[in-house]
Amino acid sequence: MAAREAEDPIQPGMSDDDAVYVLSTSPNEPSGEEESCLVDEESSPSTPLTFEEAIDYIGNGWFQYKLLIVCGLGWVADAFEMLALPFIMPDIESDFKVGHVLAGAVSSASFFGMIVGAGVWSTLGDVLGRKPSFLFTILASSLFGLLSAFSPTYWVLAILRFGVGFGLGGSFPITYSMLIDTLAAKNRGLIGVILSAFWPIGTMCSSALASIVMPRLGWRWLLGISSVPGF
């Protein structure tokens, strides 16, 4: 009986004024169901989140780590294409009967292509989306790299290496932005450093490949094999 009275402060025989007074002064404790609702509201955001805020709230998962590996392998493929050139310069001079200046211009064509590619793909990356742009730039650099292994003349080689540079120029910024856009803010710096580590891995692999292929098969084979990781 006492328990019932404690649960129900309004007793029989009370006037309306007394009942209002008791209700206004009695503590309002939420029920168990109400408490769970309050906990859920406190643990979840109360206002709509932006994409970046949602990523920060959820945190990183397997998707981000798998994407890191994909982007890293893309940079490894780019390193193969870039680092192959210094090893083939002497053979280009002898095969195409050109001097040091023209042989070096092949490398310049690649870097000029990177300048153009960075300007073009910085815009197309926002229009087409990160993923299609990433795939196209990797494919473009690898395809032009493979075709350059069959170059019949010096000028064809220079044009094709410009195409390689055009793909590489878009690949660098798009790969980085595609990964960073999906990361929680607190991990961006660390994962960005890990992504950068894939480039020296690619350069070491490219150097090892050149030391094996160049003495035995020549520069055309080196360019052809160096294009394979991008496919």
Side-chain angles (χ1 to χ4, degrees), residues 66-78 121 124-126 128-142 167-168 170-179 195 229-230:
K66 288 187 288 185
L67 184 61
L68 169 63
I69 294 173
V70 171
C71 293
L73 292 178
W75 276 21
V76 169
D78 292 343
W121 285 107
L124 289 182
D126 291 331
L128 302 178
R130 300 284 193 262
K131 181 179 177 181
S133 302
F134 169 74
L135 295 175
F136 187 86
T137 54
I138 294 293
L139 179 62
S141 58
S142 298
L168 293 177
S171 174
F172 293 142
I174 288 176
T175 301
Y176 192 81
S177 61
M178 181 174 68
L179 176 62
L195 175 63

Side-chain angles (χ1 to χ4, degrees), residues 14 19 30 38 74 96 102 112 115 121 153 162-163 172 175 182 199 202 215 221:
M14 276 189 178
L38 290 174
F96 294 126
L102 286 180
F112 184 65
I115 296 173
W121 285 107
T153 65
F162 172 87
F172 293 142
T175 301
T182 65
W199 178 262
W221 278 94

Side-chain angles (χ1 to χ4, degrees), residues 46-162:
S46 56
T47 57
L49 300 178
T50 65
F51 176 79
E52 185 174 352
E53 290 171 341
I55 293 295
D56 291 338
Y57 179 75
I58 296 171
N60 295 328
W62 282 111
F63 172 79
Q64 282 82 3
Y65 298 123
K66 288 187 288 185
L67 184 61
L68 169 63
I69 294 173
V70 171
C71 293
L73 292 178
W75 276 21
V76 169
D78 292 343
F80 267 90
E81 287 293 347
M82 283 301 300
L83 269 293
L85 285 179
F87 297 104
I88 69 174
M89 288 303 165
D91 285 19
I92 289 177
E93 293 179 19
S94 60
D95 283 7
F96 294 126
K97 304 297 187 292
V98 295
H100 297 299
V101 175
L102 286 180
V106 174
S107 294
S108 300
S110 296
F111 288 113
F112 184 65
M114 291 176 66
I115 296 173
V116 177
V120 171
W121 285 107
S122 62
T123 302
L124 289 182
D126 291 331
V127 175
L128 302 178
R130 300 284 193 262
K131 181 179 177 181
S133 302
F134 169 74
L135 295 175
F136 187 86
T137 54
I138 294 293
L139 179 62
S141 58
S142 298
L143 181 60
F144 282 115
L146 178 61
L147 293 175
S148 65
F150 302 95
S151 301
T153 65
Y154 165 83
W155 293 108
V156 172
L157 176 62
I159 292 171
L160 291 173
R161 296 314 295 185
F162 172 87

